[in-house]
């Protein structure tokens, strides 16, 4: 999108330097300024807009790091002539030994972004957060890449200033979202910013405050630890006073404040260090009716339901493990039904209250009951998974599976560094990985019915596959089998007709394959 298309005419720049150089004519159409050396000349003139730039400085920029030809002065005059022909209104002026470009107020996108930033902060100070969001987004829309792209040392100071402005605008956007009661939007902005700038303490403080606002105290404390790790590792310093004070304040909240708990609840404790799932949690805010939550073993279904319960505000909260006994239907509030294999197990237990929220947790995608929503928990995105650990071998082996990450972290806890190195090196080998994940993989046993077992085992040896390959491996038509594996959240279809066994499920299927082959070899030896 061209920068001018998203903004009012008064703030629509004619010159855009927040990315590759672009120039608009009076009618809004893009002007071809030639690219290459002419574009470098214009970019440097725009960097010093309305000020004289010497021919020596222009020549240094155009031939940066290369031998300057004897014809450089004449070449420069040619580039300026080309720019004068392309630009309207005699914008480039000259005097002996120097040139300048005339730029009016609001015509340069860098100036427009700075002005919009000032306007947004003034709106925030006046309490006009909604207007501030609009203004900040207009400013952020101006960015198309690195400022003054192509200039080197000449633009270093301006690039640093504009990069800082870009960060500040995103912090302002987060502040506006928080002021509007939209902590999830603020968290999304701040997590990207802290990933990009892990030494930016103010961004960490805002992220901690946003987590705190939605009751995610453990995430706020985990954010502090990540900030401290980055500061100590990269700068050799502890967090500053503001970040430290906020950390201590959050740590002491449970003792200083009365805990606002449901009037009636038997919910298990929430999982410490829960990460991700913001869109799914947001979708349950204020929800009612029956909502199913499915996903493979260890993906964090119960932990997610407990997070949703903490944000629900229901005074009555009941948790029932369906495998452990009968369900007594509450008169209302929130009900979590865990380990459900079939809707018929729980149909009679649903409360007769339209305001109640029932979270039905299953390893398989359920059907057959009216529901207001369905949530499938997928693998964590790489950025989310990295919040649990920085160990690359663990992240690679787990493939975004939170249960696998936690299991492998626990396996290496309190070990000597050389022991951890040896154990994580084992994760690169499928057999070693299956051994390390054995406790988690046991939870997959019995999930796949015998008729589908052969296909399940054999697809562990391939990456992506299609229905034809699946049929050859199964020995029969396999589409119904693939559908069963997808309903169990073991197989995904990333492209039409192309399937893949998901991480961890692949390790489980590979373990079954190895065991089957071992039994076959032993049987042949006996025979």
């Amino acid at each position: 999108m061209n920068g001018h298309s998203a903004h009012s005419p008064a703030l629509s720049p004619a010159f855009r330097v927040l990315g590759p150089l672009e120039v608009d004519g009076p009618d809004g159409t893009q002007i071809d300024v030639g690219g290459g050396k002419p574009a470098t000349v214009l970019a440097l003139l725009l960097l010093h807009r309305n000020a004289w730039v010497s021919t020596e400085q222009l020549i240094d920029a155009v031939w940066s790091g290369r031998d300057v030809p004897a014809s450089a002065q004449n070449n420069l005059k040619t580039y300026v002539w080309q720019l004068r022909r392309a630009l309207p209104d005699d914008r480039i002026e000259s005097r002996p030994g120097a040139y300048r470009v005339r730029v009016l107020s609001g015509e340069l996108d860098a100036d427009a972004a700075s002005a919009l930033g000032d306007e947004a902060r003034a709106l925030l100070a006046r309490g006009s957060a909604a207007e501030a969001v609009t203004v900040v987004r207009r400013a952020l829309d101006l960015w198309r890449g690195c400022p003054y792209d192509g200039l080197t040392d000449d633009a270093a100071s301006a690039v640093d200033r504009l990069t800082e402005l870009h960060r500040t605008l995103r912090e302002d956007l987060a502040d506006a979202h928080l002021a509007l009661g939209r902590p999830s939007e603020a968290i999304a902005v701040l997590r990207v910013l802290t990933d990009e700038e892990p030494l930016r303490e103010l961004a960490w403080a805002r992220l901690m405050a946003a987590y705190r606002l939605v009751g995610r105290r453990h995430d706020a404390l985990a954010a502090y630890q990540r900030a401290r790790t980055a500061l100590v590792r990269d700068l050799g310093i502890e967090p500053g006073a503001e970040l430290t004070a906020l950390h201590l304040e959050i740590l002491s909240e449970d003792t200083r404040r009365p805990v606002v708990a449901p009037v009636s609840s038997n919910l298990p404790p929430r999982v410490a260090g829960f990460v991700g799932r913001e869109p799914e949690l947001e979708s349950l805010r204020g929800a009612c009716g029956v909502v199913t939550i499915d996903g493979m073993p260890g993906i964090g279904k119960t932990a997610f339901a407990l997070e949703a319960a903490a944000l629900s505000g229901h005074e009555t909260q009941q948790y029932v493990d369906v495998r452990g006994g009968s369900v007594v239907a509450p008169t209302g509030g929130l009900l979590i039904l865990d380990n459900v294999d079939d809707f018929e197990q729980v149909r009679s237990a649903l409360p007769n209250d339209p305001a109640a929220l029932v979270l039905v947790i299953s390893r398989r995608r359920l059907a057959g009951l009216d529901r207001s929503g369905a949530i499938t928990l997928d693998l964590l995105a790489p950025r989310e998974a990295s919040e649990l650990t920085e160990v690359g071998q663990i992240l690679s082996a787990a493939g975004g599976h939170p249960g696998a990450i936690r299991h492998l972290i626990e396996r290496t806890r309190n070990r000597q560094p050389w022991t951890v190195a040896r154990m994580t090196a084992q994760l690169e080998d499928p057999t070693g990985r299956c051994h390390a994940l054995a406790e988690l993989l046991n939870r997959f046993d019995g999930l796949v019915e015998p008729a589908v077992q052969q296909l399940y085992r054999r697809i562990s040896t391939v990456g992506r596959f299609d229905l034809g390959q699946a049929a050859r491996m199964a020995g029969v038509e396999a589409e119904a089998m693939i559908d069963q594996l997808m309903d169990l959240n073991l197989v995904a279809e990333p492209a039409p007709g192309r399937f893949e066994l998901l991480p961890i499920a692949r390790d489980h299927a590979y373990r079954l394959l190895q065991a089957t082959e071992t039994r076959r070899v032993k049987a042949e030896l006996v025979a």
Side-chain angles (χ1 to χ4, degrees):
M1 178 180 70
N2 287 341
H4 66 274
S5 62
H7 311 289
S8 63
L11 292 174
S12 179
F15 301 98
R16 292 194 295 280
V17 295
L18 297 178
L21 177 64
E22 292 181 357
V23 181
D24 280 349
D27 60 354
T29 59
Q30 192 166 320
I31 294 174
D32 182 7
V33 294
K37 293 181 173 63
T40 300
V41 171
L42 180 57
L44 188 60
L45 292 174
L46 289 169
L47 177 66
H48 302 283
R49 52 203 170 278
N50 300 316
W52 293 104
V53 181
S54 70
T55 55
E56 289 79 7
Q57 190 174 354
L58 288 165
I59 288 171
D60 287 344
V62 169
W63 284 276
S64 176
R66 291 168 292 173
D67 292 336
V68 177
S71 60
Q73 288 280 357
N74 289 331
N75 291 346
L76 179 60
K77 291 178 181 179
T78 301
Y79 304 147
V80 171
W81 174 79
Q82 292 173 354
L83 292 171
R84 280 175 167 160
R85 286 191 60 190
L87 298 175
D89 303 329
D90 296 324
R91 288 302 184 101
I92 297 183
E93 301 172 345
S94 63
R95 71 179 188 187
Y99 296 93
R100 71 178 176 187
V101 62
R102 182 166 45 86
V103 178
L104 305 180
S105 177
E107 288 187 329
L108 186 72
D109 59 354
D111 293 340
S114 181
L116 287 167
D118 292 341
E119 182 183 349
R121 282 183 285 281
L123 288 167
L124 279 172
R126 295 200 301 267
S128 302
E131 294 177 64
V133 167
T134 301
V135 172
V136 170
R137 282 177 171 161
R138 285 170 58 192
L140 290 173
D141 283 346
L142 294 171
W143 260 266
R144 298 168 293 105
C146 178
Y148 292 100
D149 189 24
L151 289 183
T152 53
D153 296 341
D154 298 276
S157 177
V159 169
D160 289 345
R161 177 179 57 80
L162 290 167
T163 302
E164 176 62 23
L165 173 61
H166 193 247
R167 298 184 190 115
T168 302
L169 284 166
R170 287 186 285 171
E171 290 175 342
D172 292 341
L173 181 60
D175 286 345
H177 281 315
L178 289 173
L180 291 169
R182 303 172 184 166
S184 295
E185 286 88 341
I187 288 169
V189 172
L190 292 166
R191 285 179 60 172
V192 174
L193 185 55
T194 51
D195 282 349
E196 294 175 358
E197 301 288 337
L199 305 179
R200 195 170 181 83
E201 292 191 52
L202 287 178
W204 284 112
R206 285 173 166 87
L207 179 59
M208 291 170 64
Y211 277 137
R212 181 191 195 186
L213 193 62
V214 295
R216 295 172 60 179
R217 177 175 178 267
H218 53 287
D219 282 332
L221 296 175
Y224 173 81
Q225 292 301 329
R226 294 196 303 277
R228 181 180 180 275
T229 297
L231 290 165
V232 172
R233 180 190 63 221
D234 296 343
L235 299 180
I237 61 173
E238 291 289 336
E242 181 178 349
L243 204 57
T244 301
L246 180 58
H247 177 237
L248 292 174
E249 188 176 337
I250 295 173
L251 274 176
S252 61
E253 276 181 342
D254 281 358
T255 57
R256 293 191 302 103
R257 291 183 182 178
V259 177
V260 180
V263 173
S264 174
S265 173
N266 71 336
L267 266 59
R270 293 158 67 190
V271 174
F274 181 89
V275 301
R277 316 301 191 196
E278 279 90 357
E280 292 89 351
L281 286 170
E282 187 65 26
S283 72
L284 290 177
R285 194 178 292 274
C288 58
V290 177
V291 177
T292 57
I293 301 169
D294 61 75
M296 71 171 70
I299 204 68
K301 301 180 292 295
T302 304
F304 170 78
L306 295 173
E307 289 296 310
L311 299 174
S312 72
H314 285 288
E315 292 186 350
T316 301
Q317 300 184 359
Q318 181 181 356
Y319 172 86
V320 177
D321 187 340
V322 173
R323 295 176 304 185
S326 60
V327 181
V328 178
T331 57
L334 178 138
L335 172 62
I336 297 176
L337 301 172
D338 206 351
N339 294 303
V340 177
D341 288 325
D342 188 275
F343 267 139
E344 295 303 325
Q345 293 177 279
V346 297
R347 189 184 298 273
S348 62
L350 302 179
N352 186 22
D353 179 358
L357 175 61
V358 182
L359 303 179
V360 180
I361 302 173
S362 178
R363 292 177 174 179
R364 64 182 72 244
R365 297 175 185 176
L366 298 174
L369 191 70
D370 289 338
R371 53 187 169 181
S372 58
I375 295 173
T376 296
L377 295 184
D378 295 318
L379 300 166
L380 295 176
R383 175 176 55 81
E384 296 170 333
S386 65
E387 293 186 30
L388 294 174
T389 182
E390 296 180 354
V391 180
Q393 294 96 325
I394 289 179
L395 291 172
S396 177
H401 190 289
I405 296 173
R406 295 180 192 280
H407 177 78
L408 294 173
I409 291 172
E410 188 61 33
R411 188 169 179 264
T412 58
R413 196 178 301 278
N414 299 324
R415 304 273 187 168
Q416 295 289 351
W418 53 86
T419 306
V420 173
R422 176 177 58 79
M423 295 172 72
T424 52
Q426 292 174 347
L427 300 176
E428 298 177 6
D429 173 66
T431 302
R433 190 165 60 248
C434 288
H435 171 73
L437 292 168
E439 185 177 334
L440 173 63
L441 297 182
N442 289 342
R443 297 169 61 183
F444 287 72
D445 289 346
L447 194 59
V448 180
E449 63 182 56
V452 188
Q453 281 272 357
Q454 177 174 307
L455 173 62
Y456 179 57
R457 294 193 301 265
R458 290 183 175 179
I459 58 178
S460 69
T461 62
V462 299
R464 292 190 177 182
F465 58 93
D466 57 26
L467 290 175
Q469 292 171 298
R472 288 192 292 274
M473 287 186 281
V476 294
E477 199 279 329
E479 186 168 7
M481 297 182 184
I482 295 297
D483 286 342
Q484 287 186 41
L485 293 173
M486 292 181 70
D487 286 341
L488 291 169
N489 296 293
L490 303 176
V491 165
E493 188 176 7
R498 300 291 295 172
F499 305 92
E500 63 182 2
L501 195 58
L502 292 172
I504 305 305
R506 177 180 294 178
D507 290 322
H508 178 252
Y510 177 79
R511 188 175 74 166
L512 293 179
L513 179 67
Q514 294 298 101
T516 302
E517 289 298 310
T518 300
R519 289 195 297 269
R520 182 184 61 79
V521 171
K522 287 183 178 179
E524 290 175 354
L525 290 174
V526 170

